[in-house]
Amino acid sequence: MRGKRNTGVMAPTCLTLSGVRASRLVYVLAYASHMLLWLVRGHYLGIGVTVWGLPGRLFPIAVYGLSSLAVMLLWRDKFKKFVYGSVAVCVLGFVPFVFLPVGMPRFYVSLAAFAGLGGCITAARCGLAFTLNNAERLLSLFLIYFGAVLIREVDPAVTENVFTLYVLPLALLAVMAVCLLRFREPDFEVRTN
């Protein structure tokens, strides 16, 4: 018999770029932009205060975790109100957080920003887990990895400028918010299976 030899190994067709569906890019970008925003926040946007003898960054991170847990526990098939609420709180807190100087006012708005961000990560994780195939998840991880390399490997002393302090965080916030607001409840029907 001439022709292709059967090696018994199936080609992983699901991990090709053709496995990435355009309709699911909002879920890919929601998760990737959130993770990069989290990294930018830690790399360029400090809080710089101590509260009750503890580093000020500890409190927003605790609020982030608690709000993420709360949204995760309350998540239902009809989830739009959680997504809208999280995005609204995040944007209302994060925009002033970016522009305020290091100090107590920035600390206070960071609590709102991180509360909203915690709800956003729960929504983004659910999108990653319940709506994407493996090729799309891998694309999201590649975007996060290469974005993180760019953010971490560039010398902060050289890059602390208008772009890294204002434009980049606000652009990532905008991408994340737009993508989260485009989540569709019917896309999550696989969750019941």
Side-chain angles (χ1 to χ4, degrees):
M1 246 167 88
R2 295 198 172 229
K4 292 200 294 188
R5 218 169 68 177
N6 185 1
T7 60
V9 178
M10 293 180 62
T13 56
C14 64
L15 290 180
T16 63
L17 280 178
S18 63
V20 176
R21 300 165 289 181
S23 64
R24 298 292 198 239
L25 285 178
V26 293
Y27 300 102
V28 170
L29 292 174
Y31 188 74
S33 59
H34 177 280
M35 297 309 289
L36 292 173
L37 180 62
W38 181 258
L39 183 61
V40 164
R41 177 257 350 139
H43 202 61
Y44 297 116
L45 301 172
I47 294 173
V49 297
T50 57
V51 178
W52 302 318
L54 297 169
R57 70 179 182 271
L58 176 68
F59 296 94
I61 291 171
V63 168
Y64 173 86
L66 290 173
S67 67
S68 176
L69 179 64
V71 171
M72 194 179 327
L73 293 175
L74 297 171
W75 191 266
R76 300 283 183 263
D77 292 336
K78 303 294 182 195
F79 58 79
K80 280 290 200 178
K81 62 183 173 188
F82 297 115
V83 174
Y84 289 162
S86 296
V87 169
V89 171
C90 183
V91 169
L92 290 174
F94 211 88
V95 171
F97 173 70
V98 168
F99 289 104
L100 286 171
V102 169
M104 288 309 286
R106 185 179 233 183
F107 169 76
Y108 293 128
V109 296
S110 74
L111 296 175
F114 283 53
L117 209 54
C120 290
I121 189 55
T122 296
R125 274 194 310 252
C126 287
L128 185 81
F130 299 126
T131 66
L132 299 181
N133 63 34
N134 288 339
E136 293 156 346
R137 290 182 188 113
L138 191 59
L139 174 62
S140 184
L141 295 177
F142 277 134
L143 291 173
I144 295 166
Y145 176 76
F146 288 113
V149 167
L150 285 173
I151 292 165
R152 291 231 182 233
E153 295 303 318
V154 176
D155 181 14
V158 174
T159 59
E160 287 185 358
N161 54 41
V162 171
F163 178 75
T164 56
L165 294 176
Y166 305 109
V167 175
L168 181 59
L170 293 176
L172 289 169
L173 178 67
V175 169
M176 181 193 72
V178 168
C179 289
L180 285 171
L181 293 175
R182 295 191 60 205
F183 275 27
R184 295 179 57 245
E185 289 168 348
D187 291 342
F188 287 77
E189 286 173 356
V190 69
R191 187 170 87 80
T192 58
N193 296 333

